[in-house]
């Protein structure tokens, strides 16, 4: 397996995201970590990409990996980025850890033509079961203890879609996953993670 | 010297003479001049591994290593430049020079003007970052370097590195602008103006021609450096270093040196005034103030950077308030606008503007990681 195949296996949302991105698109990846998604998109889609990352370790890793990275706290907004300057703004597995989540979604659609967001589903049946049995869920998608989690804004798919409707955000596409498999049936119960593609709803709609 | 040894070792300065007149941005012309420089490491066969280090206000050509006859005279960036260090002289051919107008050997106000047989003094042209870069380009020609792998500078040096990528976009592949700014703010210019006024109003200044009077405007230069020094440190760093410590056991209710911080500043001022030239200080601060690539584009920095072709690494330090992180972001934004490859790191550091000269593991690892990739391109 090549590095990129390994990556796609480890992060099923990567392949889903890449499938939506046309060749040569401009991409801003928020909370880009070590830059693996951007590296993946660069090799698969030849994107012009930049990452935003807050951690020092992430900055060094991105620089090592030859990925453009801007050190910035997402919760202070995207003020370094001009309006409508990217085809896609991606927030991969980071939404739940942002403090100012609602303004950030608006910032994503100020800077990007379309937004792509992936996040774990708190409504996944195993999470519901954990809570029913009396404990906060801990899983591959939610690997933290309640007291050390960076996830301050966990939500279900329903919750996210409700917020989108409230913000006049039009959901263009959605891929619900359980591990590496795509889920069609009862997504808010059977899906552990989803990737959404969205844009601002056209004014006339 | 062993490969694993993290030193440059013994170095020596070299001189380059230029007989072609240099036309300054101000309109002035310097018919001939000398630049003093040092090199470390080896230029590879296709001349693709050269790095130019541009110095800041008080810097010079002696970047790394020490002199055979003066082991204590260690280069000003010896922690960054050397074998196995972030700017690795095992990989790169590194050049340090003293800028024109300097006082460390390159032609400057204290040099003898061959036309008059006296020091240039007030007749030395007011110089800009653009002029420096043009002079540096001639040194590159002389050394057979068509294109630099990277040009690196902190503070005023960062401005020169940026200017290279605007004036000679084909001649630089990577720019590392550290603790720098695309142009100064009013506050920063104001600090420079106070420093200049300290020198200009010193009775020993003699309109810049103090050399022929056999005096030096030491008081002015000392004050200028004391002021500068305060702005290079952070509030926290000063509090940590000196606090309210007194030199004596109690107050003596006089205007003598009482607080440790006063003692330190005066010592720094005296030390600096003993070796630095006041006219050079004036020129350097003016070059800082004038630099503004957007000036020719009605203030539009995005347009100013449209000519750039290099890749960039921009670094700032959290407690630097003289060249704050926001100034570095002002470099990043036009680069993003023009879709240049750019990375930006904001280093958490307690040392204010001086941080760019301090060894910090994270800072060094960012520079090292970036330059490793630059080297991979050279080797390819």
């Amino acid at each position: 397996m090549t590095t990129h195949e390994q990556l796609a296996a480890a992060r099923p949302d990567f392949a889903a995201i890449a499938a939506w991105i046309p060749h040569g698109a401009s991409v801003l990846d928020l909370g880009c970590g070590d830059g693996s998604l951007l590296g993946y998109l660069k090799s698969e889609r030849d994107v012009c990409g930049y990452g935003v990352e807050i951690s020092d370790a992430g900055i060094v890793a991105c620089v090592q990996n030859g990925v453009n990275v801007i050190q910035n706290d997402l919760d202070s907004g995207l003020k370094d980025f001009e309006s409508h300057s990217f085809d896609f703004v991606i927030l991969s597995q980071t939404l739940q850890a942002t403090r100012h989540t609602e303004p950030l979604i608006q910032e994503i659609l100020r800077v990007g033509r379309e937004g792509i967001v992936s996040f774990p589903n708190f409504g996944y049946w195993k999470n519901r079961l954990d809570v029913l049995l009396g404990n906060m869920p801990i899983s591959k998608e939610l690997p933290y203890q309640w007291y050390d989690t960076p996830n301050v804004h966990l939500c279900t798919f329903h919750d996210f879609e409700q917020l989108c409707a409230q913000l006049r955000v039009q959901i263009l596409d959605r891929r619900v996953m359980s591990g590496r498999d795509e889920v069609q049936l009862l997504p808010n119960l059977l899906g552990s993670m989803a990737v959404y593609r969205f844009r601002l709803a056209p004014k006339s709609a | 010297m062993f490969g694993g040894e993290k030193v440059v070792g013994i170095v020596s300065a070299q001189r380059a003479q230029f007989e072609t007149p240099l036309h300054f941005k101000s309109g002035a012309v310097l018919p001939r001049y000398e630049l003093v420089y040092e090199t470390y490491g080896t230029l590879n066969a296709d001349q693709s591994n050269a790095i130019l280090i541009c110095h800041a206000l008080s810097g010079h050509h002696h970047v790394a290593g020490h002199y055979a006859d003066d082991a204590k005279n260690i280069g000003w960036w010896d922690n960054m430049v050397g074998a196995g260090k972030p700017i690795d002289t095992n990989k790169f051919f590194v050049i340090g020079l003293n800028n024109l107008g300097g006082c460390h050997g390159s032609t400057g106000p204290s040099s003898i003007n061959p036309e008059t047989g006296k020091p240039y003094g007030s007749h030395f042209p007011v110089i800009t970052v653009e002029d420096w870069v043009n002079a540096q380009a001639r040194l590159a020609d002389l050394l057979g370097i068509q294109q630099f792998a990277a040009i690196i500078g902190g503070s005023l040096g960062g401005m020169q590195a940026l200017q290279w990528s605007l004036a000679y976009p084909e001649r630089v592949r990577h720019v590392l602008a550290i603790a720098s700014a695309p142009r100064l703010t009013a506050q920063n210019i104001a600090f420079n103006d106070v420093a200049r006024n300290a020198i200009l109003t010193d009775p020993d200044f003699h309109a810049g021609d103090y050399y022929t009077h056999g005096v030096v405007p030491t008081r002015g230069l000392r004050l200028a450096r004391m002021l500068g020094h305060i702005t290079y440190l952070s509030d926290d760093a000063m509090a940590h270093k000196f606090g309210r410590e007194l030199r004596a056991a109690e107050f003596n209710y006089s205007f003598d040196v009482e607080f440790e911080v006063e003692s330190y500043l005066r010592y720094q001022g005296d030390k600096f005034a003993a070796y630095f030239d006041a006219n050079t200080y004036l020129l350097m601060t003016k070059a800082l103030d004038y630099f503004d690539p957007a000036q020719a584009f009605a203030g539009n920095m995005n347009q100013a950077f449209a000519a750039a072709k290099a890749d960039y690494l921009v670094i700032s330090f959290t407690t630097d308030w003289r060249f704050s992180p926001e100034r570095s972001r002002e470099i990043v934004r036009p680069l993003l606008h023009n879709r240049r490859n750019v990375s930006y790191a904001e280093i958490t550091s307690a040392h204010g503007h001086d941080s760019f000269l301090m060894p910090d593991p994270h800072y060094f690892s960012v520079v090292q990681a970036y330059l490793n990739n630059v080297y991979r391109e050279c080797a390819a």
Side-chain angles (χ1 to χ4, degrees):
Chain A
M1 249 193 335
T2 67
T3 325
H4 282 128
E5 281 166 348
Q6 285 169 349
L7 207 57
R11 292 287 302 267
D13 55 330
F14 280 17
I17 291 170
W20 286 329
I21 293 184
H23 195 84
S26 58
V27 172
L28 182 65
D29 182 15
L30 306 179
C32 67
D34 64 1
S36 20
L37 175 59
L38 279 170
Y40 179 74
L41 293 175
K42 211 162 145 184
S43 74
E44 299 289 309
R45 291 287 182 269
D46 193 30
V47 299
C48 164
Y50 299 86
V52 175
E53 176 58 34
I54 190 170
S55 80
D56 288 349
I59 298 296
V60 174
C62 285
V63 169
Q64 255 161 9
N65 295 330
V67 168
N68 292 317
V69 64
I70 309 297
Q71 192 159 25
N72 197 17
D73 180 359
L74 291 182
D75 279 323
S76 66
L78 302 176
K79 59 182 165 49
D80 289 327
F81 301 95
E82 295 172 353
S83 297
H84 321 297
S85 55
F86 285 89
D87 295 323
F88 295 92
V89 177
I90 300 174
L91 189 66
S92 164
Q93 302 292 350
T94 304
L95 182 78
Q96 73 281 358
T98 60
R99 194 162 291 276
H100 307 294
T101 310
E102 187 185 324
L104 184 60
I105 290 172
Q106 287 167 325
E107 275 286 86
I108 286 173
L109 291 177
R110 176 185 67 80
V111 172
R113 202 165 46 79
E114 290 185 11
I116 294 176
V117 160
S118 69
F119 59 90
N121 177 22
F122 201 73
Y124 180 49
W125 69 271
K126 283 185 182 169
N127 298 339
R128 297 188 195 204
L129 191 62
D130 279 339
V131 174
L132 201 66
L133 294 174
N135 286 103
M136 286 298 281
I138 295 171
S139 62
K140 186 168 154 281
E141 285 83 10
L142 300 170
Y144 303 99
Q145 293 286 349
W146 65 272
Y147 49 81
D148 66 5
T149 182
N151 298 332
V152 292
H153 281 141
L154 287 163
C155 67
T156 69
F157 297 158
H158 283 168
D159 292 329
F160 179 73
E161 289 172 19
Q162 269 170 15
L163 177 65
C164 287
Q166 210 176 301
L167 297 175
R168 298 189 53 79
V169 168
Q170 179 187 19
I171 293 166
L172 298 168
D173 208 344
R174 180 182 81 171
R175 300 279 292 277
V176 178
M177 319 285 293
S178 176
R180 293 182 63 183
D181 303 319
E182 197 162 345
V183 175
Q184 305 291 349
L185 185 73
L186 297 173
N188 200 39
L189 192 63
L190 301 181
S192 61
M193 188 271 293
V195 199
Y196 285 82
R197 185 162 73 92
F198 55 88
R199 66 174 181 189
L200 274 181
K203 287 244 157 63
S204 54
Chain B
M1 200 176 84
F2 299 99
E5 205 179 347
K6 293 197 168 192
V7 293
V8 164
I10 295 168
V11 298
S12 57
Q14 300 168 74
R15 269 175 189 286
Q17 302 242 4
F18 299 87
E19 300 292 338
T20 319
L22 187 71
H23 293 262
F24 286 60
K25 199 182 174 189
S26 68
V29 180
L30 200 61
R32 65 188 66 80
Y33 57 94
E34 285 185 2
L35 292 177
V36 60
Y37 66 98
E38 288 179 10
T39 69
Y40 323 99
T42 313
L43 189 61
N44 63 10
D46 60 355
Q47 292 96 35
S48 66
N49 70 333
I51 288 182
L52 178 67
I53 308 285
C54 301
H55 69 76
L57 204 150
S58 60
H60 43 72
H61 55 287
H62 186 33
V63 175
H66 61 268
Y67 299 125
D69 59 351
D70 189 359
K72 282 185 182 164
N73 189 350
I74 295 165
W76 57 269
W77 220 5
D78 193 74
N79 59 27
M80 179 69 93
V81 180
K85 292 181 186 179
I87 301 173
D88 191 344
T89 51
N90 286 336
K91 295 174 176 170
F92 295 104
F93 178 65
V94 181
I95 304 164
L97 88 160
N98 184 213
N99 274 326
L100 211 52
C103 54
H104 290 90
S106 292
T107 303
S110 57
S111 310
I112 300 295
N113 180 349
E115 273 154 39
T116 62
K118 289 190 215 159
Y120 283 95
S122 62
H123 296 288
F124 196 87
V126 171
I127 200 160
T128 64
V129 169
E130 291 90 324
D131 301 327
W132 278 332
V133 167
N134 291 337
Q136 290 163 5
R138 289 190 182 176
L139 179 64
D141 294 341
L142 191 85
L143 297 173
I145 295 152
Q146 187 47 42
Q147 186 187 59
F148 283 101
I151 300 184
I152 305 175
S155 192
L156 176 57
M159 289 176 166
Q160 294 158 53
L162 293 175
Q163 175 59 22
W164 259 97
S165 69
L166 305 181
Y168 300 98
E170 311 287 349
R171 298 193 70 174
V172 50
R173 290 197 298 278
H174 295 271
V175 165
L176 282 75
I178 305 170
S180 193
R183 56 185 165 198
L184 294 192
T185 59
Q187 187 197 47
N188 209 328
I189 294 170
F191 281 123
N192 285 339
D193 188 49
V194 174
R196 280 193 297 270
N197 262 286
I199 294 167
L200 294 170
T201 57
D202 186 319
D204 287 336
F205 183 61
H206 295 286
D209 294 315
Y210 45 87
Y211 317 100
T212 49
H213 289 79
V215 290
V216 175
T218 310
R219 284 164 290 180
L221 186 55
R222 178 172 174 269
L223 279 177
R225 183 58 171 182
M226 286 167 76
L227 171 71
H229 214 89
I230 297 168
T231 70
Y232 304 149
L233 299 175
S234 68
D235 191 14
D236 281 352
M238 281 181 114
H240 181 74
K241 201 166 179 178
F242 310 108
R244 295 182 49 83
E245 289 297 311
L246 296 172
R247 306 195 73 206
E250 52 195 28
F251 293 165
N252 62 16
Y253 301 99
S254 76
F255 300 115
D256 297 336
V257 175
E258 289 195 78
F259 290 94
E260 283 294 349
V261 66
E262 296 176 299
S263 163
Y264 171 81
L265 278 179
R266 288 180 199 209
Y267 169 74
Q268 290 295 333
D270 286 336
K271 196 174 80 171
F272 187 73
Y275 74 86
F276 207 81
D277 181 60
N279 278 319
T280 292
Y281 203 89
L282 294 177
L283 290 175
M284 297 278 169
T285 58
K286 263 309 209 198
L288 271 165
D289 294 0
Y290 284 134
F291 187 62
D292 180 5
Q295 198 203 15
F297 299 90
N300 188 324
M301 202 58 83
N302 289 343
Q303 282 177 26
F305 277 85
K309 290 187 171 165
D311 294 351
Y312 294 78
L313 176 63
V314 180
I315 295 177
S316 73
F317 299 90
T318 49
T319 53
D320 183 351
W321 55 281
R322 186 83 195 255
F323 288 80
S324 70
E326 183 52 27
R327 301 286 85 72
S328 283
R329 290 178 180 277
E330 286 169 8
I331 300 171
V332 171
R333 279 181 218 130
L335 294 172
L336 286 169
H337 177 87
N338 286 292
R339 290 280 192 261
R340 300 317 313 156
N341 282 320
V342 53
S343 284
Y344 168 64
E346 200 168 296
I347 312 289
T348 303
S349 165
H351 302 290
H353 188 51
D354 274 351
S355 299
F356 87 89
L357 297 167
M358 304 281 186
D360 172 275
H362 174 55
Y363 168 37
F364 277 22
S365 61
V366 171
V367 173
Q368 189 142 36
Y370 191 87
L371 289 179
N372 279 343
N373 287 339
V374 173
Y375 180 65
R376 223 161 277 144
E377 291 170 11
C378 298

